Amino acid sequence: MIDGIIQPHDTRGDLRLECDVVVVGSGAGGATAAAVLAEAGLRVIVLEEGGWYPTEEFSANIPEMLGKLMRGGASTVMVGRSPVPYLEGRCVGGTTVVNGGMCWRTPEKVLDTWVRERGLAHLAPKALEPHFDAVESAIDARYQDPGSEGGVNDRFKAGADALGWKLSRNKRNQRHCVGSNDCVTGCPTGAKRSTAESWLPRFYAAGGRLFTHFKVERVRTRQGRATGLAGTILDPVGARRFTVEARAVVLSCGAIQTPLLLQRNKLCKPCGHVGRHFTIHPNIKMAARFDTPVDSLRGTHQAWQCMEFGDEGILMAPGAIPLAFMSAIFPSFGPRLAERLRDYRYIATGGILVDDHAEGRIRALPFGVPYIRYDVTDVDQSKFVRAAALMAELYFAAGANEVYTPFHHLPVIGGPDDIAKLYAHPPRVEDTEYFTAHLMGTCRMSAHPRGGVVDPNGETWDVSGLYVADAGTMPGTIGVNPQVTIMALARLIAVRLADRLGRKVPAKIAQVAGHAAA
Amino acid sequence: MSSDFSFRGYTRRVARSVVDAMVPRWPELDADLTDAVLEQVEDFARNYPPFIRFGVMVMLYGLEFSGPFVRDGLRPTSFLDREAATRRLEKVADHRIPQIRMMVMLPKIMVSFSAYSRPEVEAFLGADRRAWRANRKAFREVLIQLDERRAADPPVPAPLVGDAVRPEDYLRFERT
């Protein structure tokens, strides 16, 4: 056994476990909740479906790492007017192992809306501030070391500066991110403070135990109360069974897997909201070719964001990505793509995120097949068209000579004068390639039983003792990268749960911890 | 957990022809990537859930028999030479009907991810990721040693680096 991690080869036969709280999932929500609960003195177990991979095992072999770290080997896609590929981490640390590490607090105007329109007074900016502080300390939400940004970020900044557009410096959960630009297949240097490097070491130190390759299938209930879990240990030698008995069950499987688990167990049906209100911050990728080398190999993923058009729900950012991922941005293949990527060193990539107004839905179909549907609306598409035009303007202002779009009918914009073509013939949703890694809202928090799946404490309205602490609890879309919001909500839910179970969270919990492990 | 999936029989022929039509080639790079990429595509598929693997098969066979959709005759794609197969798949990718274009989407991503993460391709295009990663690991070790001499970390959100490293030296990388 390594520290607090128990892998299939550490145990034999079927397992029957007992604890105060069992948490399903070790990503942003689960790891945060588990650490807070364990530090409050509760006996906590975390069950993770994926495996544990220390930094040394993050190899440069992209297909191998996608298979190890992501659900379905990164093949996941939701259906709709245009299919949207999405990423979901499935490993110890969850999606925090494969994300870009952006750390934004929930915008105050969003929190104010949640208070005003949804009656969630405990989510007011002032009330959440201690949770944000604690989260940012725990995960080292820092600005990049000067000089680590790299050409992709520099070009983006040059363009925004030339146009006088407002830029915000990104905080990222990192300690000396040295710009290896391999965030998405696991940080090879250990700089990224995923939950595996931040919250979970605290959890183990407080006596918590994490079991890998535990696939939860059943939520056990008795007289309307959750009493534990059951499922399969995905042991390569042969599948085994496990059961866990607990005073409270916390589901932190993410905004897709949590509602699927609830639906497969026919739980929380009366509220009518499980799997609904699915928002995804759809985003599109852009690229630009310059006359001088950009060298996107070197530098950090996203050091800046352009907030100039935040009021319109548009967020633009540079996004340095490895060559293989860059190759997926371009619609071509074979000789055409080979010619285009001859200029790899001269190409900068970026992304546009739109604060969406659509709501998708998640349903569990027979034989374990998930049905995930999200239709980008024409309203959001008009934002994408405007945002793509703005991003092209930015890149040309930075000196680009060509800009590449995700639109089928206009894949290349040859110069500033061509930008108008986007407005003259606006691309349809069906002719646009989207992507997302921000999955939210499917078990939303509400002040009233008819308004959502969980109450202000994170406990499901329909099953007592059953909690949700992940991105699904967000009452609405937030318009920024969600990991800090997820962690802050999970911390709030865990503090309240500890209190209910008769434990107080120690004051020192806000202190920075785990630095020695850097 | 991955399965023991592999392309077999006629399906292997179909998959190989799609990979062969999609892999990049440059006259200056002496490497035929088709078989290596096909193996990696199999690796990808091994990690996919069964229903996604089924979708991959549907797309591959859709491409195999896509001739009539793009007015390119009835011959299956795997019976065309490489250039003709590439031209046909490009017609599919450029088709005005999104549902037909979608047949290319997943195979294209699988082939691109596999081909453009090959060490020889990365090095050829100036993205020597393996060397860069090794360089970064060593550089970060130096920074961590500098941290150990510091009395306390600056508070969040301040950067950690001090005056010891000049910004212009931070991403220094001598290509070999």
Side-chain angles (χ1 to χ4, degrees):
Chain A
M1 193 177 89
I2 302 158
D3 293 331
I5 302 171
I6 299 157
Q7 302 178 82
H9 59 74
D10 294 319
T11 61
R12 284 184 187 172
D14 293 347
L15 292 183
R16 189 175 168 280
L17 307 166
E18 203 185 313
C19 58
D20 292 321
V21 184
V22 59
V23 179
V24 189
S26 62
T32 307
V36 171
L37 291 163
E39 289 182 348
L42 291 158
R43 294 175 305 142
V44 184
I45 286 174
V46 171
L47 307 181
E48 168 57 51
E49 185 184 350
W52 175 65
Y53 304 100
T55 297
E56 311 83 78
E57 287 188 30
F58 293 153
S59 81
N61 183 331
I62 289 178
E64 177 199 344
M65 293 318 300
L66 295 182
K68 282 181 172 174
L69 301 179
M70 294 187 194
R71 182 170 299 281
S75 65
T76 41
V77 63
M78 57 189 82
V79 300
R81 292 174 67 186
S82 181
V84 184
Y86 65 91
L87 291 185
E88 228 186 332
R90 199 195 67 157
C91 58
V92 172
T95 304
T96 67
V97 174
V98 296
N99 71 6
M102 267 57 73
C103 293
W104 291 95
R105 294 187 178 197
T106 326
E108 288 198 3
K109 69 173 184 181
V110 172
L111 295 175
D112 287 338
T113 305
W114 292 354
V115 172
R116 199 175 56 249
E117 293 178 8
R118 304 207 180 276
L120 298 165
H122 67 309
L123 301 187
K126 274 280 168 221
L128 275 184
E129 197 171 302
H131 297 291
F132 286 132
D133 288 343
V135 165
E136 289 175 350
S137 289
I139 63 173
D140 277 277
R142 294 180 183 278
Y143 296 123
Q144 287 292 130
D145 291 354
S148 64
E149 297 89 351
V152 169
N153 291 291
D154 292 347
R155 299 300 166 103
F156 185 88
K157 184 176 185 306
D161 287 348
L163 295 166
W165 291 352
K166 188 169 65 184
L167 277 183
S168 294
R169 210 170 156 198
N170 268 348
K171 282 181 277 184
R172 302 177 67 240
N173 51 320
Q174 49 85 26
R175 290 181 65 80
H176 293 308
C177 163
V178 285
S180 53
N181 186 14
D182 248 342
C183 299
V184 78
T185 47
C187 178
T189 67
K192 181 159 67 179
R193 308 284 289 162
S194 71
T195 60
E197 302 284 338
S198 53
W199 288 109
L200 288 174
R202 287 171 59 166
F203 168 68
Y204 307 139
R209 292 290 174 267
L210 183 149
F211 292 79
T212 69
H213 300 92
F214 269 46
K215 183 174 173 57
V216 174
E217 286 148 356
R218 274 192 57 211
V219 179
R220 304 169 81 188
T221 60
R222 195 179 308 128
Q223 294 173 334
R225 178 168 188 82
T227 58
L229 299 162
T232 303
I233 304 170
L234 305 172
D235 187 341
V237 177
R240 296 180 273 139
R241 301 292 299 168
F242 72 86
T243 57
V244 184
E245 279 183 36
R247 294 164 68 194
V249 174
V250 179
L251 303 183
S252 302
C253 323
I256 289 181
Q257 302 306 320
T258 293
L260 287 174
L261 183 60
L262 291 172
Q263 288 170 351
R264 284 172 186 147
N265 281 272
K266 298 182 170 46
L267 293 173
C268 304
K269 281 178 83 172
C271 76
H273 292 279
V274 175
R276 293 178 181 269
H277 317 297
F278 180 44
T279 57
I280 66 167
H281 285 166
N283 64 72
I284 58 173
K285 302 295 178 203
M286 301 273 287
R289 189 197 180 283
F290 291 83
D291 286 330
T292 52
V294 174
D295 272 332
S296 77
L297 174 72
R298 296 182 285 157
T300 188
H301 174 62
Q302 199 178 107
W304 305 97
Q305 290 188 345
C306 178
M307 301 293 199
E308 181 73 18
F309 307 95
D311 289 344
E312 298 176 43
I314 293 171
L315 191 152
M316 298 185 286
I321 47 177
L323 170 63
F325 289 84
M326 188 188 281
S327 73
I329 288 183
F330 295 95
S332 50
F333 47 80
R336 278 203 275 184
L337 183 59
E339 269 316 294
R340 179 79 71 209
L341 288 179
R342 260 185 194 281
D343 295 336
Y344 161 76
R345 290 190 61 210
Y346 297 80
I347 294 173
T349 44
I352 294 165
L353 179 154
V354 155
D355 194 7
D356 45 336
H357 285 79
E359 287 189 352
R361 190 173 177 188
I362 289 160
R363 287 160 68 186
L365 299 180
F367 309 111
V369 176
Y371 178 76
I372 304 161
R373 183 170 187 98
Y374 183 92
D375 292 299
V376 176
T377 63
D378 290 332
V379 173
D380 289 337
Q381 180 65 3
S382 63
K383 286 189 210 170
F384 275 120
V385 174
R386 173 162 162 71
L390 292 167
M391 190 93 158
E393 196 182 337
L394 182 150
Y395 277 135
F396 286 126
N401 50 34
E402 270 188 344
V403 170
Y404 310 109
T405 80
F407 305 127
H408 177 248
H409 78 300
L410 189 63
V412 182
I413 300 176
D417 294 342
D418 283 350
I419 294 175
K421 288 181 185 170
L422 275 175
Y423 294 116
H425 301 287
R428 299 179 307 161
V429 170
E430 292 79 359
D431 295 330
T432 306
E433 288 189 12
Y434 306 92
F435 170 79
T436 188
H438 300 176
L439 312 164
M440 303 166 284
T442 50
C443 292
R444 77 180 184 189
M445 186 179 280
S446 64
H448 307 287
R450 288 185 181 175
V453 178
V454 301
D455 69 13
N457 298 318
E459 187 174 23
T460 59
W461 287 107
D462 297 324
V463 182
S464 63
L466 179 62
Y467 292 76
V468 178
D470 61 32
T473 61
M474 284 190 209
T477 180
I478 58 173
V480 294
N481 309 70
Q483 73 168 342
V484 167
T485 302
I486 299 167
M487 290 181 187
L489 290 179
R491 186 178 187 277
L492 178 148
I493 289 165
V495 167
R496 291 182 168 206
L497 173 56
D499 191 42
R500 280 185 161 197
L501 296 177
R503 301 288 180 145
K504 289 288 175 204
V505 175
K508 69 169 186 177
I509 203 167
Q511 290 175 359
V512 180
H515 281 182
Chain B
M1 290 204 296
S2 60
S3 70
D4 56 358
F5 169 85
S6 63
F7 294 119
R8 295 196 180 97
Y10 187 69
T11 304
R12 187 165 195 85
R13 177 192 174 94
V14 170
R16 193 179 187 288
S17 76
V18 169
V19 169
D20 196 44
M22 287 185 165
V23 291
R25 288 182 182 82
W26 298 272
E28 308 93 311
L29 180 67
D30 183 23
D32 190 346
L33 301 170
T34 302
D35 289 320
V37 169
L38 180 62
E39 256 180 53
Q40 283 194 303
V41 166
E42 271 180 326
D43 276 347
F44 267 125
R46 236 168 251 140
N47 287 303
Y48 290 176
F51 66 95
I52 295 282
R53 266 205 304 270
F54 177 73
V56 172
M57 295 296 184
V58 169
M59 288 178 192
L60 288 175
Y61 275 94
L63 294 175
E64 172 74 348
F65 299 109
S66 59
F69 295 110
V70 292
R71 298 181 185 178
D72 191 33
L74 294 173
R75 284 184 80 187
T77 305
S78 66
F79 287 84
L80 301 176
D81 63 39
R82 181 192 294 154
E83 285 72 25
T86 302
R87 276 198 303 277
R88 176 180 286 181
L89 298 193
E90 282 173 351
K91 284 182 185 173
V92 174
D94 292 340
H95 204 277
R96 63 187 174 81
I97 299 174
Q99 287 76 8
I100 290 179
R101 290 203 302 268
M102 275 166 52
M103 282 194 295
V104 177
M105 189 175 142
L106 194 49
K108 185 257 172 186
I109 288 175
M110 294 165 86
V111 171
S112 292
F113 270 25
S114 303
Y116 287 94
S117 62
R118 304 276 316 161
E120 61 271 40
V121 172
E122 288 182 336
F124 173 70
L125 293 174
D128 195 349
R129 208 161 48 91
R130 283 152 179 86
W132 177 240
R133 286 163 63 107
N135 172 295
R136 292 296 86 189
K137 285 178 193 172
F139 179 66
R140 187 166 182 271
E141 283 303 314
V142 173
L143 297 179
I144 297 295
Q145 284 170 18
L146 291 174
D147 281 356
E148 284 165 6
R149 290 183 220 145
R150 197 170 53 216
D153 284 344
V156 164
L160 283 169
V161 80
D163 298 332
V165 181
R166 295 185 308 165
E168 55 269 35
D169 291 336
Y170 207 96
L171 297 175
R172 188 178 290 279
F173 180 42
E174 302 300 334
R175 280 195 167 79
T176 52

